[in-house]
Amino acid sequence: MVVERVKGGVGAAIPHDSGHLHVTGEAIYTDDIAEARGTLYAAIGMSERAHARLKSVDLTKVRAAPGVVAVITAKDIPGKNDYGPVIADDPIFATALVQYHGQSLFAVAARTMEQARRAARLAVIEYEDLKPNLTAEAALRDQSFVLPTERLVRGNPRAAIASAPHRLSGKIRIGGQDQFYLEGMIAYALPKEDGTMHVYSSTQHPGEVQHQVAHALDVAAKDVVVECRRMGGGFGGKESQPGLFACVAALLAHKTRRPVKLRVDRDDDMMITGKRHDFITEYEAGFDDDGRILGVDFVLAGRCGYSADLSGSINDRAMLHSDNCYYLENVSILSFRCKTNTVSNTAFRGFGGPQGMVGIEAVIDDIALYLGRDPLAVRKVNFYGVDDRNITHYGQTIVDNVIHEIVADLEQSANYHARREQIRAFNRTSPHLKRGIALTPVKFGISFTATHLNQAGCLLHIYTDGTLLLNHGGTEMGQGLFVKVAQVVAEELQVDIDRIRITASDTSKVPNASPTAASSGSDMNGKAAQDAARKLKARLTEFASTHFAVAPETIVFRANEVRAGDKSLSFNELVKLAYFARVSLSATGFYRTPKIGYDRKTWSGMPFYYFCYGAAVSEVIVDALTGENRLLRVDILHDVGKSLNPAIDMGQIEGGFIQGVGWLTTEELCWNDKGKLMTHAPSTYKIPVASDVPEEFNARIYESGINAEDSIFRSKAVGEPPLMLAISTLHAIRDAIASTADHALSPRLDAPATPEAILFSIEELAARRAKAGVRAEPVLEASS
Ligand code: MTE
Ligand code: MOS
């Protein structure tokens, strides 16, 4: 007998469930939902100062503007004037004090969007200017922080550095990054009967938006439903901050008793919402002749903006990833959470991890240049061991280390050593065009460091025609979560995936869901769905066993069929029989990540269930006269465990990598000296486009990957880790720059490595070399 495989089961490389809708434009995003009669359109009135007292706010002209139906300020909020996700320090509307340029002060509802936006500009506001702190340096100088300073120490770094054969210190600035989701922030609020509210929100965290709206309206959670079928990208930007827009729309809907849509203009979106934290990282390291780090001392200053938002966990994750793949026996990490008069920085793919990893990779590169060794060799001597040197600086024993295998494989397949030689030869005869190459590894911890968030729920129905409806607490932002979870259900129940209707995230179906973040969406919702599917399967099995009078062990579900002893019937037939026998065909599923738990006070325990690994080789060419550069070739080997869907995973690997390249090379955020963001549109803020993809792009999934833990079908999370593979591009650029000074000195290169930054770096390097003679001391600069 031919055993048929179910269509769209686990491991099948099937397309995104909405792929055909995305490309035809039929996919319904929040703005595409058919509007209800009487819908009004909202706009936010924004602060034009970065730091000021509000002396007076005159909204007479706003109220009188054409089409305006309602204008609201903090006074019109029945409940709490706050949407802070962790700490109550994010007012929906600023009152006495404004803390950043772009902060929301009031909102307008009008008959058209154009009218609302025009009216919002007519406010007459008197400010009493206060001195704005715009940079992390300024915040450090004034000791201005959103959260207490943290320090993590293992061993005795001071003594280890002091007694080491070699010492270096350095500093790198790491720029921020706008999430640049293609669908901007949007919320559509519909007042329903009896004081209830339905909100469509483009959010990674519908459950939190539900609470934020309930608090603002002074109603209970049961009175608010938040729904999101899909986002046109979130990238962390929609983890905590959609609450502002949802609250504003809901408050206006509440006041007018009419549906209100707030779709934020791109420029306003960029000025109002938080970005990736920019960091200043300083280090001092002591090491031996092989480049092995004996002690390292990091000082991290993350610019958080005006409020705490998720900055606590983000800066924690930077600390927890300051090791990347390296064993740091003696280490100190001091982390400042700088308060500035700028947007409140928030989650962005990697969640602080990338910033931590850029720091240690800079240390390794500087050591390699100092010793005149291949940076890859220095990386390898510092790798975590498999059986020894395998305890992280926060006390978690690494049991799944595959970085040695991945790097060895990639080194071969990318032909790293031979190409490095060829590049050196090329550079010797090419005075202005310089090539560079680098291989960098990635290790990324999976789980929310806030332990309670590691839970998920699912709701699964089987209808009498044998089709299913799937709902879970995760959200879809293009990453392919929904199709992966559907594949889990298809596999468990052995039904073709096209029988499963995937539905919108909805707080009335699955309550108290965590944000879809920390790359844990498929791990957690996949397991919750598996739990629900197994419950239904158990009920059907028990029923079939009784009905056909056979032992339960003889009942097998296989490709839309069920065998019960020597009987065989279709899944549909069994479902129908079960229905008539009054068997419940609906189940909830639940999952909590096992094993994890850690104590933030002592920085010890097991914050991560497991780690994801990968490595990349980038090769670049840089014009030393202009700083212009191109990414020529990229080779990636990335571990996704046993892939739930290799096509989706490959999309995440390639997309994440390119997004990381954007962060580290072209995306530059500039504020003027008054604290106004000047790069608030694609005309001035350059994200990567198709033509920035390297001509030769060899990305591979690590075929022998398997999760050492009992994750969903032994897969691994894939959403964030590939972004950090792009650190190889930054280091390839550094390599090209170093070649302009014969690799005798370590370049000072901040991120993003824009052509301008590259040119400055080359000039600074030349000046330093001229000053010091050819054999210069490669010490970068003393850390303060
Ligand atoms: N991929 C797409 N296409 N769009 C996105 O917004 N967000 C990333 C990543 N991949 C994102 C994406 C981020 S920040 C995270 S945390 C994960 O997807 C979240 O989804 P997951 O947990 O299902 O991987
Ligand atoms: Mo992703 S930054 O955890 O939303």
Side-chain angles (χ1 to χ4, degrees):
M1 195 189 110
V2 188
V3 181
E4 284 215 34
R5 256 193 72 71
V6 74
K7 229 165 71 190
V10 160
I14 55 171
H16 193 288
D17 53 280
S18 297
H20 62 296
L21 304 177
H22 294 155
V23 296
T24 55
E26 286 175 89
I28 295 180
Y29 294 85
T30 300
D31 201 30
D32 304 315
I33 294 167
E35 288 174 2
R37 193 173 55 211
T39 292
L40 299 173
Y41 303 88
I44 290 179
M46 292 151 60
S47 164
E48 298 201 330
R49 298 298 153 84
H51 195 199
R53 262 184 257 289
L54 282 176
K55 283 172 70 183
S56 67
V57 179
D58 181 355
L59 301 176
T60 318
K61 285 187 183 157
V62 183
R63 290 182 208 279
V68 170
V69 177
V71 179
I72 57 170
T73 66
K75 291 193 199 80
D76 300 284
I77 300 176
K80 275 197 341 196
N81 180 21
D82 179 69
Y83 70 100
V86 182
I87 296 178
D89 62 353
D90 286 301
I92 298 166
F93 298 123
T95 49
L97 184 71
V98 295
Q99 296 197 77
Y100 75 98
H101 198 296
Q103 188 166 13
S104 153
L105 303 178
F106 65 93
V108 189
R111 271 186 281 280
T112 70
M113 187 136 335
E114 181 73 19
Q115 287 172 330
R117 288 179 178 175
R118 282 182 188 282
R121 298 213 177 91
L122 299 176
V124 180
I125 297 167
E126 266 188 276
Y127 300 92
E128 181 192 325
D129 284 316
L130 301 168
K131 185 181 70 89
N133 265 351
L134 302 176
T135 60
E137 279 101 340
L140 287 172
R141 196 185 52 230
D142 290 5
Q143 297 284 293
S144 160
F145 303 118
V146 291
L147 289 162
T149 300
E150 300 286 343
R151 187 195 281 276
L152 191 172
V153 181
R154 168 165 67 181
N156 192 342
R158 291 314 321 164
I161 294 168
S163 63
H166 309 284
R167 275 177 295 281
L168 277 178
S169 60
K171 178 175 177 176
I172 181 168
R173 287 161 186 284
I174 306 162
Q177 184 180 23
D178 190 90
Q179 290 81 3
F180 222 103
Y181 25 68
L182 293 184
E183 176 211 33
M185 290 285 197
I186 182 164
Y188 185 29
L190 293 105
K192 300 277 171 168
E193 64 180 30
D194 204 15
T196 61
M197 189 69 71
H198 193 105
V199 183
Y200 297 95
S201 165
S202 182
T203 173
Q204 293 172 240
H205 200 175
E208 186 170 271
V209 171
Q210 177 195 17
H211 287 287
Q212 288 161 328
V213 168
H215 292 155
L217 297 180
D218 197 23
V219 297
K222 69 176 169 54
D223 300 325
V224 178
V225 174
V226 175
E227 190 180 331
C228 177
R229 173 57 185 84
R230 61 173 63 79
M231 286 160 273
F235 303 111
K238 293 174 182 168
E239 185 172 341
S240 65
Q241 304 202 351
L244 170 64
F245 310 100
C247 286
V248 169
L251 285 163
L252 284 165
H254 172 80
K255 170 136 186 169
T256 59
R257 309 307 305 157
R258 285 168 71 169
V260 174
K261 180 189 278 188
L262 172 53
R263 187 187 76 222
V264 187
D265 172 71
R266 170 70 55 185
D267 299 73
D268 293 353
D269 187 320
M270 286 185 79
M271 288 198 268
I272 296 172
T273 63
K275 303 161 199 326
R276 183 189 294 288
H277 292 59
D278 45 311
F279 267 57
I280 300 173
T281 297
E282 294 185 333
Y283 79 84
E284 195 181 348
F287 50 97
D288 66 14
D289 295 340
D290 295 330
R292 181 175 279 200
I293 297 170
L294 303 173
V296 60
D297 187 339
F298 281 112
V299 180
L300 313 180
R303 179 165 65 150
C304 301
Y306 84 96
S307 72
D309 185 78
L310 303 173
S311 291
S313 304
I314 290 166
N315 284 274
D316 286 2
R317 191 169 274 265
M319 296 170 76
L320 298 176
H321 284 78
S322 288
D323 58 341
N324 192 13
C325 293
Y326 313 113
Y327 178 64
L328 305 176
E329 191 169 3
N330 297 288
V331 55
S332 164
I333 305 165
L334 182 64
S335 161
F336 294 109
R337 287 96 202 263
C338 300
K339 174 170 175 154
T340 51
N341 296 108
T342 48
V343 284
S344 189
N345 283 333
T346 191
F348 194 141
R349 211 170 194 170
F351 205 75
Q355 294 93 317
M357 285 159 59
V358 165
I360 186 69
E361 291 300 341
V363 175
I364 298 262
D365 222 48
D366 286 344
I367 292 174
L369 275 157
Y370 178 91
L371 294 172
R373 300 195 66 191
D374 181 344
L376 180 57
V378 177
R379 292 195 158 94
K380 285 182 180 174
V381 298
N382 284 290
F383 277 166
Y384 277 108
V386 174
D387 301 315
D388 65 334
R389 292 166 54 87
N390 61 353
I391 299 176
T392 63
H393 53 306
Y394 43 88
Q396 175 164 352
T397 302
I398 302 174
V399 297
D400 59 7
N401 187 350
V402 290
I403 199 60
H404 300 265
E405 289 92 323
I406 286 181
V407 166
D409 182 328
L410 185 67
E411 230 177 306
Q412 286 292 319
S413 68
N415 206 10
Y416 171 81
H417 296 282
R419 282 169 61 207
R420 201 171 124 85
E421 287 313 308
Q422 288 159 13
I423 287 168
R424 290 292 166 94
F426 171 88
N427 287 346
R428 275 194 289 275
T429 60
S430 173
H432 302 312
L433 291 179
K434 298 289 186 184
R435 293 185 183 225
I437 191 168
L439 186 159
T440 60
V442 167
K443 168 182 125 288
F444 191 77
I446 299 301
S447 293
F448 289 96
T449 55
T451 306
H452 69 277
L453 292 177
N454 296 288
Q455 57 173 307
C458 172
L459 178 64
L460 184 61
H461 303 322
I462 306 177
Y463 296 106
T464 52
D465 66 353
T467 64
L468 295 89
L469 184 133
L470 170 62
N471 194 273
H472 54 78
T475 59
E476 177 64 47
M477 57 195 101
Q479 86 278 38
L481 172 65
F482 283 10
V483 69
K484 284 185 176 182
V485 178
Q487 285 177 268
V488 167
V489 173
E491 186 73 36
E492 281 297 331
L493 288 172
Q494 284 293 306
V495 294
D496 288 344
I497 195 163
D498 44 27
R499 291 170 177 244
I500 303 171
R501 175 56 59 197
I502 292 169
T503 57
S505 319
D506 182 332
T507 56
S508 67
K509 291 192 179 135
V510 172
N512 312 324
S514 294
T516 305
S519 303
S520 60
S522 50
D523 281 13
M524 298 203 315
N525 295 288
K527 276 282 191 183
Q530 182 180 51
D531 182 42
R534 284 185 174 172
K535 281 182 188 165
L536 292 173
K537 193 172 171 180
R539 281 183 215 154
L540 290 170
T541 303
E542 191 193 328
F543 162 72
S545 156
T546 317
H547 187 81
F548 297 110
V550 293
E553 301 80 57
T554 66
I555 294 164
V556 182
F557 288 67
R558 191 91 237 142
N560 308 304
E561 291 200 3
V562 182
R563 257 179 294 149
D566 52 11
K567 296 245 170 19
S568 177
L569 70 167
S570 69
F571 180 80
N572 293 7
E573 286 168 320
L574 178 64
V575 164
K576 217 163 268 163
L577 289 172
Y579 166 76
F580 281 109
R582 294 180 295 167
V583 174
S584 162
L585 294 173
S586 174
T588 60
F590 185 75
Y591 178 70
R592 50 195 279 215
T593 312
K595 289 190 175 179
I596 50 169
Y598 103 119
D599 180 0
R600 199 174 163 276
K601 283 198 193 72
T602 57
W603 295 101
S604 62
M606 185 172 170
F608 305 120
Y609 188 35
Y610 64 88
F611 297 94
C612 293
Y613 300 86
V617 180
S618 288
E619 180 179 340
V620 298
I621 188 160
V622 170
D623 184 332
L625 295 177
T626 64
E628 283 172 283
N629 59 88
R630 235 176 35 218
L631 187 50
L632 297 175
R633 172 172 168 184
V634 171
D635 294 77
I636 290 173
L637 185 57
H638 192 77
D639 169 31
V640 294
K642 279 176 100 62
S643 178
L644 290 174
N645 181 328
I648 295 288
D649 285 355
M650 191 53 89
Q652 289 291 294
I653 293 168
E654 293 177 344
F657 175 83
I658 294 294
Q659 190 168 43
V661 170
W663 169 45
L664 293 170
T665 64
T666 64
E667 298 182 38
E668 187 171 31
L669 292 160
C670 300
W671 280 264
N672 71 10
D673 58 0
K674 302 249 173 359
K676 180 178 183 186
L677 178 66
M678 302 308 285
T679 49
H680 47 74
S683 51
T684 45
Y685 184 77
K686 193 195 175 309
I687 60 168
V689 294
S691 57
D692 294 313
V693 173
E695 205 155 290
E696 196 172 347
F697 196 7
N698 308 311
R700 278 191 296 137
I701 287 174
Y702 180 53
E703 289 298 335
S704 25
I706 180 162
N707 200 325
E709 298 297 338
D710 177 27
S711 64
I712 186 72
F713 291 98
R714 301 272 167 182
S715 64
K716 286 191 176 185
V718 69
E720 294 165 287
L723 179 127
M724 287 151 270
L725 297 168
I727 297 172
S728 61
T729 304
L730 182 68
H731 282 266
I733 292 172
R734 267 179 73 105
D735 186 48
I737 295 172
S739 75
T740 66
D742 299 325
H743 297 269
L745 295 170
S746 196
R748 288 179 194 156
L749 179 67
D750 294 330
T754 60
E756 195 180 19
I758 291 170
L759 198 57
F760 285 151
S761 176
I762 291 171
E763 286 174 357
E764 190 277 336
L765 194 60
R768 197 157 19 113
R769 196 188 192 201
K771 205 166 108 198
V774 177
R775 277 284 352 145
E777 262 294 286
V779 174
L780 296 181
E781 60 189 62
S783 54
S784 51

